[in-house]
């Protein structure tokens, strides 16, 4: 991925950084990571997981039956971890540059609006 990543994609990959999760677990983790700003509808999530699987960034980990329903768990691949790490560094660098500009402009004490 050479273009900047969309926030929902970044959050899906970030949600899988620690452990494999099933779809609903990813939805919950994305909401938590984004402080409830990003709420993924199931259709959007599963479309993204299919795309990310096709790109080799995510892989199916295992399946289990819970309450009579099949749950498929997804995990971050090594390539997915590299892409996530690169994107996290890019975002961090951009944020640092923005904060440095604000400091140079004497705007560090602005209230959040």
């Amino acid at each position: 991925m050479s273009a900047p990543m969309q926030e929902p994609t970044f959050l899906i990959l970030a949600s899988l950084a620690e452990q494999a999760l099933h779809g609903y677990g990813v939805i919950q983790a994305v909401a938590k990571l984004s402080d409830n700003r990003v709420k993924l509808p199931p259709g959007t999530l599963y479309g993204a997981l299919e795309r990310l699987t096709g790109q080799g960034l995510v892989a199916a980990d295992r399946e289990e039956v819970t309450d009579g329903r099949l749950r498929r768990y997804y995990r971050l691949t090594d390539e997915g971890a590299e892409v996530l790490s690169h994107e996290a560094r890019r975002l961090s660098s951009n944020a640092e540059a923005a904060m440095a500009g604000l400091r140079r402009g004497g705007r560090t004490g602005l209230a959040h609006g």
Side-chain angles (χ1 to χ4, degrees), residues 55-67:
Q55 293 172 339
L57 305 180
V58 169
D61 186 65
R62 67 185 185 279
E63 294 179 345
E64 61 184 44
V65 177
T66 304
D67 296 328

Side-chain angles (χ1 to χ4, degrees), residues 9 12 40-55 74:
T9 300
I12 290 168
L40 292 174
T44 300
L45 171 67
Y46 288 107
L49 287 171
E50 185 174 314
R51 178 177 49 80
L52 294 168
T53 298
Q55 293 172 339
Y74 296 89

Side-chain angles (χ1 to χ4, degrees), residues 7-21:
E7 184 177 26
T9 300
F10 177 81
L11 292 169
I12 290 168
L13 295 178
S15 74
L16 297 171
E18 276 188 60
Q19 64 184 355
L21 295 171

